Amino acid sequence: MKQLEGGAGGTEYVGRVETMTKYVMTEQLVDGLCLCGLAAVEDDRILDELTDISIDRSIVHEMAETLTRCEVSIVHFREVVEDLLAQV
C-alpha cells in the first residue's frame, strides 16, 4: 500500500482494494432431478463452478456459507469441497 501525504493535514492511503471470493449455491435441473452445485464468484464474475455436488440443498447451502465465511481461496476451492464432501 502506498502512503501519500494529504494536503489538508491528513494522510491518504492508496492501494489495491482486496476483493473477497463469495461462494453461492447453484441449481440445475437434469432428468427431473435438481442438482445443486457451488460457484466461486468475485466482482460478479464466476471464477469456477462445480455443478453436480448433491441433490441435498441444505448440504450444498451450508458448504457455500462455510467457504465464504472462512474466506477460502479460489486456489483451494475444489480441494476444500472434496474434503467437506468426505465429512458428509
Side-chain angles (χ1 to χ4, degrees):
M1 191 174 294
K2 188 175 182 181
Q3 179 180 346
L4 301 174
E5 292 300 321
T11 302
E12 181 180 348
Y13 291 93
V14 178
R16 189 180 140 202
V17 175
E18 293 294 322
T19 56
M20 187 175 91
T21 303
K22 294 179 183 171
Y23 296 91
V24 295
M25 184 178 74
T26 62
E27 295 178 315
Q28 180 180 4
L29 193 62
V30 177
D31 296 329
L33 288 176
C34 183
L35 296 177
C36 299
L38 290 168
V41 180
E42 191 173 284
D43 295 329
D44 295 328
R45 286 184 312 127
I46 295 176
L47 303 177
D48 196 1
E49 185 174 14
L50 296 169
T51 57
D52 57 352
I53 294 173
S54 177
I55 59 171
D56 188 332
R57 295 181 86 240
S58 63
I59 289 172
V60 179
H61 182 74
E62 186 176 328
M63 282 183 185
E65 288 182 345
T66 300
L67 292 166
T68 300
R69 183 181 64 253
C70 294
E71 298 181 9
V72 172
S73 167
I74 187 65
V75 174
H76 303 291
F77 169 53
R78 289 176 176 260
E79 183 180 354
V80 172
V81 170
E82 185 178 328
D83 290 345
L84 290 172
L85 283 171
Q87 295 176 13
V88 175

